Amino acid sequence: MPELPEVETTLRGIRPFLLGETIADITIRQRSLRWPVTKGIETSIRGSAIKEISRRAKYLQFHLDNGSMLVHLGMSGSLRVLTQPGFWKKHDHIELKLNSGNMLRYHDPRRFGSWLWSQGGHWQLKKLGPEPLSEGFDGEYLYRLSKRRQVAVKAFIMNSSVVVGVGNIYASESLFLSGIRPDRPAGRISKKRYSMLANNIKITLKRAIDRGGTTLRDYSNGNGDPGYFKQELFVYARNGLPCMNCRSRLTEKRIGQRSSVFCMRCQV
DNA sequence: ACACTAACCTGCAAGC
DNA sequence: TGCTTGCAGGTTAGTG
């Protein structure tokens, strides 16, 4: 489900309820996620205070006094704050109970997400590329890294060791805005066009965050509200519909196991 | 180092 | 009304 804007929206939604709180209890009803929920996480975090919550790539990191929890939402995960006890719904796997009485509940039908505890660092965070909204990420950087690479540019920018947080939706949208065909080999794009692309990635992500993310099926922020960026999508999930720019029919092609929609006239 | 595939899992829509 | 097939917001492990 969530790409960077959805994870960021989730972070902003839940943070006010969690900062400074102590974890009174944790209930785990399903440990079998992308990786098994870390053994012993219950005893490790019970009674610990939440000092900070941050996002790195599509991960949320809960910093406690004695270590940190790394939470990923996978394809279908979501977090939601409950201000009063609620019924357990199907696929509600984990719940944190806070001293305030509020609860944080994790819901994930496909179970591609993860909940990992570590007292040191998390290996998942090694080898990640720059944050797309950081200064270090620009056209120069993309151009330099892309030299002699044959992979399709869409797969290139979705590669988390190149840049993090860009998933299928925002890769597709950014390439459309930049007029670049998603299947063009990464090494055959000019520095100038990479500058366009890097800028459009930033613009698209920021705008999506402002709209609360993209809700396709089941995404909701920490308060249960959907995101409204779907209304502003140019190409994603619009195969066969008219291009918003030239009105010709949009084309679909699979690139690196992911469906990719683009305009054959506007994207070269 | 790079490129590509299968795999993890459930729900839903389309086709027969 | 079923049953089967394919696809979905992500990421890693394995292969060549």
Side-chain angles (χ1 to χ4, degrees):
Chain A
M1 140 239 212
E3 301 184 30
L4 185 149
E6 292 74 36
V7 179
E8 181 65 29
T9 302
T10 297
L11 171 62
R12 295 181 187 186
I14 65 175
R15 176 188 255 145
F17 294 91
L18 298 180
L19 277 193
E21 286 295 325
T22 296
I23 298 174
D25 201 6
I26 174 172
T27 306
I28 304 173
R29 313 174 91 212
Q30 171 62 272
R31 306 192 79 93
S32 166
L33 305 179
R34 176 71 170 78
W35 293 286
V37 175
T38 309
K39 210 173 154 194
I41 191 173
E42 296 94 327
T43 48
S44 298
I45 72 171
R46 230 173 249 137
S48 296
I50 302 173
K51 290 191 301 186
E52 178 58 288
I53 313 175
S54 57
R55 179 190 60 73
R56 172 73 173 114
K58 297 170 189 164
Y59 290 96
L60 289 174
Q61 193 165 10
F62 295 70
H63 306 267
L64 313 185
D65 338 291
N66 53 339
S68 76
M69 263 191 324
L70 195 64
V71 174
H72 197 288
L73 302 178
M75 288 276 255
S76 59
S78 57
L79 288 169
R80 178 165 187 185
V81 172
L82 303 181
T83 51
Q84 47 188 295
F87 293 110
W88 288 88
K89 294 204 291 259
K90 195 175 183 184
H91 305 306
D92 284 353
H93 303 314
I94 298 176
E95 182 180 272
L96 294 185
K97 190 164 196 286
L98 308 170
N99 267 12
S100 61
N102 291 335
M103 277 120 340
L104 180 70
R105 194 170 292 188
Y106 170 68
H107 176 87
D108 185 4
R110 293 179 71 182
R111 291 193 272 125
F112 287 173
S114 52
W115 277 64
L116 301 167
W117 166 258
S118 169
Q119 312 208 55
H122 293 272
W123 63 265
Q124 284 85 354
L125 300 181
K126 316 279 186 202
K127 296 191 304 189
L128 288 180
E131 287 288 328
L133 297 178
S134 70
E135 285 216 2
F137 176 71
D138 58 15
E140 290 272 344
Y141 168 81
L142 280 180
Y143 180 71
R144 183 159 36 83
L145 255 191
S146 68
K147 288 242 163 73
R148 284 176 298 284
R149 296 191 58 166
Q150 300 293 303
V151 71
V153 61
K154 176 155 174 279
F156 179 66
I157 59 172
M158 288 177 68
N159 179 341
S160 64
S161 60
V162 174
V163 57
V164 301
V166 183
N168 207 18
I169 298 177
Y170 302 108
S172 304
E173 295 298 308
S174 307
L175 287 164
F176 173 78
L177 289 176
S178 308
I180 300 172
R181 263 182 77 122
D183 58 356
R184 175 173 282 273
R188 313 234 24 220
I189 293 173
S190 68
K191 192 190 289 187
K192 187 160 188 177
R193 300 186 84 201
Y194 268 125
S195 293
M196 294 258 307
L197 181 56
N199 265 332
N200 283 322
I201 288 173
K202 290 173 193 278
I203 289 169
T204 304
L205 293 175
K206 280 183 192 162
R207 192 166 173 85
I209 292 170
D210 287 344
R211 298 289 177 275
T214 302
T215 297
L216 297 172
R217 280 165 281 279
D218 47 13
Y219 170 75
S220 67
N221 71 4
N223 308 311
D225 310 315
Y228 296 99
F229 193 68
K230 185 180 181 194
Q231 302 164 225
E232 301 183 27
L233 296 177
F234 289 102
V235 289
Y236 182 84
R238 292 194 67 244
N239 181 30
L241 296 173
C243 170
M244 308 287 277
N245 185 229
C246 75
R247 314 313 292 177
S248 68
R249 305 278 145 212
L250 296 175
T251 308
E252 177 171 16
K253 178 179 179 183
R254 278 195 97 71
I255 299 171
Q257 302 179 290
R258 315 293 260 152
S259 116
S260 310
V261 182
F262 64 100
C263 176
M264 297 198 61
R265 282 187 63 192
C266 299
Q267 294 176 258
V268 183

